[in-house]
Amino acid sequence: MLLKTDADAIDPRMRPFFERSGLSALRLRGRALLPIVQGGMGVGVSAHKLAGSVAALGGVGTISSVDLRRHHPDLMERTQGLATRQGMDADTKAQIDAANLEAIEREIVAARKLSQGRGLLAINVMRAVAEYAASVKRSLEAGIDAVVVGAGLPLDLPDLAAEHPDALLVPILSDARGVQLIVKKWERKKRLPDAIVIEHPRLAGGHLGAARIADLNDPRFDFENVLPQSREFLKSAGIEREIPLIAAGGIRTFEDIARLQSLGAAAVQLGTPFAVTEEGDASDAFKQVLAGAKEEEMVEFTSVAGLPARAVATPWLRAYLKIEDKLQAVTHAKARCTKAFDCLAQCGLRDGLKGWGQFCIDNQLAAALRGDLKKGLFFRGAGALPFGDQIKSVRELMERLLLRAEVAQPA
């Protein structure tokens, strides 16, 4: 792992664009990479095709670990209808979990083949999922380069990766206080983050790193505050060169990347622009919904995971929000999980948690993956996309991100 030289890490076709950009490389474990990270997006939105394609060009491609069996017909056939046939029992859950862990390994192997040894391959595992620990361990055993964890503080990640000292460990945080907490806790375990993603909850898509929707506009999350504050803390601890910061949320242009590097970021992470590329693992209909969504169609709400979230106001989401108060009024713990595998460690619907979302997130995200507007929950970040409503390739997107606006615009 990570044995290639700097010259081998970036696709030769991308080198001229990067060299002309004047941007600094993202350096991880001695490798110089393009300062572009593709964010992890579930269910199945970022799997091996997208992650492998990004890595092949010299960036960081990220697989999302959540319910990857949906990309494997044999695994779906093996687990389809288990809950109906068997009822909710330990064996049902074990079979579904085993299928998803097998899918994780398959996707990593396939992404590695696509990457041709370039770039870096990561997997995003939400701290909030029930099989968090098992997913981390299986990914490490399958040879993933980096494990990225958000949707909760991964205080135990160094313990889970203890047998894999060469793997990169990357938490997703939103403010300088979180950076200080993770670094201090991990130091006691004789491990430091290999990088930290700083995700702005007012701009990112999906689950957001704020306690409440009302907190999304808190200035402590602004890049102008959190990046310098985090760099200052790392400098005071004497480790500023060891932990690169990766800014995430609403990043769409070369100018965004240049500005964030001037504030102290080593690289940037983008989700939605990659989700709508030709290589994105979701359906074409899914991509069209995200690419065609306007800013006024973005909605913030509380997810079933208890976190603020941002998505497109599709027919399903509008209908859900209209009756959310009524659903909250009758919230109660259920005898079993709707999908029989308890995807979340804590679930607002299953556990009857007041104020948390009251829908099955796996059902809705799986429907979105298929492009089903009537049932789907389509997570999306804020801001117009680099190519508007057009669907372009990963290579075209990365080239655009390395070009100044006046160069990128067609004559």
Side-chain angles (χ1 to χ4, degrees), residues 29-84:
R29 289 282 168 83
R31 295 192 95 182
L33 306 163
L34 297 176
I36 299 171
V37 177
Q38 166 250 313
M41 297 165 285
V43 166
V45 175
S46 63
H48 79 270
K49 285 193 296 183
L50 179 56
S53 299
V54 173
L57 293 175
V60 179
T62 309
I63 298 167
S64 171
S65 73
V66 181
D67 211 7
L68 281 168
R69 66 191 168 121
R70 294 189 176 278
H71 284 303
H72 300 268
D74 63 320
L75 298 180
M76 286 301 291
E77 183 178 355
R78 186 193 307 174
T79 56
Q80 200 79 355
L82 275 179
T84 304

Side-chain angles (χ1 to χ4, degrees), residues 108-119:
I108 290 172
V109 170
R112 180 75 65 198
K113 184 176 180 180
L114 264 181
S115 74
Q116 303 174 64
R118 293 192 288 267

Side-chain angles (χ1 to χ4, degrees), residues 46-355:
S46 63
H48 79 270
K49 285 193 296 183
L50 179 56
S53 299
V54 173
L57 293 175
V60 179
T62 309
I63 298 167
S64 171
S65 73
V66 181
D67 211 7
L68 281 168
R69 66 191 168 121
R70 294 189 176 278
H71 284 303
H72 300 268
D74 63 320
L75 298 180
M76 286 301 291
E77 183 178 355
R78 186 193 307 174
T79 56
Q80 200 79 355
L82 275 179
T84 304
R85 295 196 300 270
Q86 299 178 9
M88 179 55 185
D89 56 31
D91 185 58
T92 299
K93 175 174 169 52
Q95 289 186 58
I96 295 173
D97 289 341
N100 275 319
L101 291 175
E102 185 174 339
I104 285 175
E105 186 163 349
R106 291 185 188 181
E107 291 294 320
I108 290 172
V109 170
R112 180 75 65 198
K113 184 176 180 180
L114 264 181
S115 74
Q116 303 174 64
R118 293 192 288 267
L120 203 70
L121 287 173
I123 191 158
N124 180 292
V125 184
M126 289 175 59
R127 183 64 183 83
V129 298
E131 294 306 300
Y132 154 71
S135 298
V136 168
K137 290 182 177 180
R138 188 61 167 266
S139 301
L140 291 167
E141 290 165 2
I144 199 70
D145 294 326
V147 177
V148 182
V149 179
L153 287 173
L155 299 177
D156 57 349
L157 187 54
D159 302 318
L160 296 174
E163 296 180 6
H164 301 272
D166 292 332
L168 305 172
L169 306 183
V170 184
I172 300 177
L173 306 166
S174 291
D175 62 18
R177 288 181 293 183
V179 171
Q180 292 184 38
L181 176 63
I182 282 289
V183 169
K184 289 177 180 179
K185 292 286 187 180
W186 283 23
E187 276 184 319
R188 296 173 191 169
K189 300 175 185 291
K190 310 298 182 187
R191 193 85 186 245
L192 288 173
D194 293 282
I196 296 174
V197 175
I198 302 292
E199 187 175 82
H200 198 314
R202 182 169 53 80
L203 302 171
H207 291 102
L208 309 171
R212 304 171 304 159
I213 292 174
D215 296 333
L216 295 179
N217 290 312
D218 191 317
R220 80 175 190 272
F221 297 129
D222 290 344
F223 291 131
E224 290 79 4
N225 293 323
V226 64
L227 288 172
Q229 289 168 7
S230 298
R231 296 307 309 166
E232 185 57 34
F233 162 70
L234 296 174
K235 184 178 181 180
S236 69
I239 53 175
E240 74 274 18
R241 296 191 179 187
E242 298 177 47
I243 306 178
L245 301 178
I246 301 168
I251 296 152
R252 302 289 182 258
T253 66
F254 165 86
E255 285 72 20
D256 291 336
I257 303 174
R259 179 177 67 87
L260 290 165
Q261 285 202 336
S262 74
L263 291 172
V268 298
Q269 176 177 289
L270 299 86
T272 306
F274 279 111
V276 303
T277 57
E278 294 169 357
E279 295 89 341
D281 293 270
S283 65
D284 288 342
F286 170 93
K287 297 171 189 178
Q288 289 162 8
V289 171
L290 264 63
K294 297 178 173 59
E295 194 64 23
E296 57 269 24
E297 294 178 292
M298 296 300 104
V299 176
E300 289 88 31
F301 60 99
T302 301
S303 163
V304 70
L307 297 166
R310 178 171 293 108
V312 181
T314 54
W316 174 82
L317 185 52
R318 288 196 188 99
Y320 165 74
L321 293 175
K322 281 182 180 178
I323 63 169
E324 186 179 30
D325 288 345
K326 294 179 181 178
L327 295 174
Q328 290 291 344
V330 295
T331 297
H332 64 283
K334 311 298 188 295
R336 49 162 287 178
C337 161
T338 301
K339 300 302 288 291
F341 74 110
D342 297 291
C343 64
L344 293 170
Q346 284 187 291
C347 169
L349 179 63
R350 180 197 63 211
D351 301 332
L353 300 173
K354 289 273 186 189

